[in-house]
Amino acid sequence: MFVIGFNKTATTSIHHWFRASGIRTAHHGGYTRKIILAARMEANLAANRPLLSGFDSGEAFSDLSHVTKRRHFEANSLFKEMHAEHPDAYFILNHREPAGWIRSRRAHNEGTFAKRSAAAHGVDLEELDAVWLTTMEAHFAAARSYFATADARFLHVFMDDTAAGKIARFLEPDYCLDPKAMPRKNVRASAVDEQSAA
């Protein structure tokens, strides 16, 4: 299954929940955190290899971002290729309220994620929010448009208190997950207004 929302939209919580439920997951840094999942997927695409080469035993893939000072690549944008290669896979488009998402992304890795992203996009930090929001809106529009007509298992879910139940029901044909067991990871103590900041 592919979690095709952006990082900081409960991807870490989903990853830990899946792994605790016996699902083999690759999250950002792969199985061992030595290989950046999105970077490997991009390299595989360029080399005309299957996207998941090197991750063949995985079942669930999440946090598909790779950000350096020169390149900000979101592998969730490859959902069409993912679907073509894995037509029976589950696709979860997870999202959260944009303002909270921006705040959480800006705080990620003590602000270094945002600095790298701004450098990669060639913008000032003050301009970065608009870039991220434009990218998010374009991705969501493209994914919803594609999956509206594709023969695919697709769930678009807002990460609030009901999300775990919706995801568990969506995966019921093949997986048994306890909605109450979904943890809340990476939630900043000061962000009392934010939900699922993982």
Side-chain angles (χ1 to χ4, degrees), residues 2-168:
F2 297 94
V3 180
I4 58 171
F6 293 94
N7 69 331
K8 312 314 294 179
T9 58
T11 55
T12 301
S13 296
I14 292 170
H15 158 67
H16 283 277
W17 182 35
F18 284 179
R19 178 163 286 189
S21 302
I23 299 171
R24 186 162 171 76
T25 62
H27 176 81
H28 183 66
Y31 304 133
T32 64
R33 301 193 64 82
K34 293 181 179 179
I35 301 172
I36 303 301
L37 179 55
R40 175 61 64 87
M41 293 174 74
E42 184 178 26
N44 286 339
L45 181 69
N48 202 31
R49 295 188 296 261
L51 288 177
L52 298 179
S53 291
F55 297 95
D56 305 283
S57 63
E59 294 179 86
F61 304 87
S62 59
D63 194 343
L64 306 179
S65 296
H66 182 224
V67 184
T68 70
K69 292 181 179 179
R70 295 184 179 182
R71 177 80 167 137
H72 185 153
F73 180 65
E74 300 284 1
N76 59 358
S77 65
L78 303 177
F79 55 83
K80 293 181 183 179
E81 291 83 355
M82 296 172 192
H83 184 224
E85 293 182 9
H86 304 276
D88 294 326
Y90 292 91
F91 290 83
I92 300 171
L93 180 61
N94 49 307
H95 82 282
R96 63 184 291 194
E97 180 267 323
W101 176 64
I102 290 290
R103 286 194 298 272
S104 188
R105 260 195 162 191
R106 278 189 164 273
H108 188 45
N109 287 345
E110 298 182 345
T112 60
F113 177 89
K115 290 177 181 177
R116 292 196 308 273
S117 181
H121 286 293
V123 299
D124 295 330
L125 280 171
E126 292 73 20
E127 303 170 287
L128 186 59
D129 293 2
V131 172
W132 282 349
L133 287 171
T134 298
T135 301
M136 180 193 71
E137 290 166 0
H139 173 66
F140 275 56
R144 287 194 299 260
S145 176
Y146 174 78
F147 286 108
T149 58
D151 181 12
R153 298 195 277 195
F154 173 73
L155 174 69
H156 181 194
V157 60
F158 184 80
M159 298 308 299
D160 59 11
D161 291 340
T162 69
K166 292 174 182 176
I167 294 171

Side-chain angles (χ1 to χ4, degrees), residues 181-198:
M182 182 176 175
R184 285 174 54 84
K185 297 288 185 178
N186 296 346
V187 180
R188 291 180 292 125
S190 60
V192 293
D193 62 319
E194 298 180 18
Q195 293 189 10
S196 303

